[in-house]
Amino acid sequence: MDVVVLIGRVMFVILFLSSALGHFTQTKAMAGYARAKGIPVPEPAVLGSGLLMLLGSISILFGIWADLGALLLLLMLVPTMIMMHAFWKETEAEATQAETIQFNKDLALAGACLMLFAFFAHTEELGLTITGPLFSL
C-alpha cells in the first residue's frame, strides 16, 4: 500500500512541478498572459503561484508535512481557477469552452487537494514519508 500511495503522489505532483518550472523560466510571458486576464500585479503573482506549486509539490512528493503541501496547492488553485479561467466573462464560444475546461480541471485538482489534505491529516500510518502530518483530523 505504501508504494501505491508513493506512486500516486509522484503522478499527482508532476503537473505542478512542471508548471512551477514554467513559472520560473517563462515569467515574462506568463505575466503578460496574467496581465491580459486582469491580474493587478502579474509578475509577483506568477512567481508566487510558482513558489506555491513548487513548495506544495515537494512537500507531497517527499512526504514532508504533505497535508500542508496539499493546502499550499489548494491556495494556488482556487484564485487561479476564479481569476484566470473565468469562463463566464468570455464572449466567444471557443474561448468560453477553453476556459471552462481549464476551470473544471482546476476545480478537480482543488478537490483532489482537499482529499489529500484529509488523507494525510487523518491517516496515522502514511508510510514512505519523511514526516508525519502537520495537522490532525
Side-chain angles (χ1 to χ4, degrees), residues 15-16 19-20 23 30 33-34 37-40 42 44-53 71-90 98-110 113:
L15 171 72
F16 296 105
S19 292
H23 278 65
M30 289 189 165
Y33 180 65
K37 291 290 190 171
I39 305 301
V46 168
L47 293 171
S49 60
L51 185 62
L52 287 172
M53 284 188 277
L71 291 179
L72 291 175
L73 293 178
L74 181 67
L75 181 64
M76 181 277 308
L77 282 165
V78 172
T80 300
M81 178 178 65
I82 294 167
M83 297 172 75
M84 295 295 292
H85 304 302
F87 63 88
W88 54 90
K89 293 181 179 179
E90 298 297 335
E99 293 303 340
T100 299
I101 290 167
Q102 293 301 316
F103 181 92
N104 287 334
K105 173 197 56 102
D106 285 355
L107 182 63
L109 288 168
C113 287

Side-chain angles (χ1 to χ4, degrees), residues 1 14 16 18 28 30-32 38 43 48 54 59 73-74 81 84 90 100-101 103 116 125 128 131 133:
M1 181 67 154
I14 286 173
F16 296 105
S18 63
K28 296 273 187 217
M30 289 189 165
E43 276 196 45
L54 181 64
S59 171
L73 293 178
L74 181 67
M81 178 178 65
M84 295 295 292
E90 298 297 335
T100 299
I101 290 167
F103 181 92
L116 279 175
E125 184 58 40
L128 302 177
T131 70

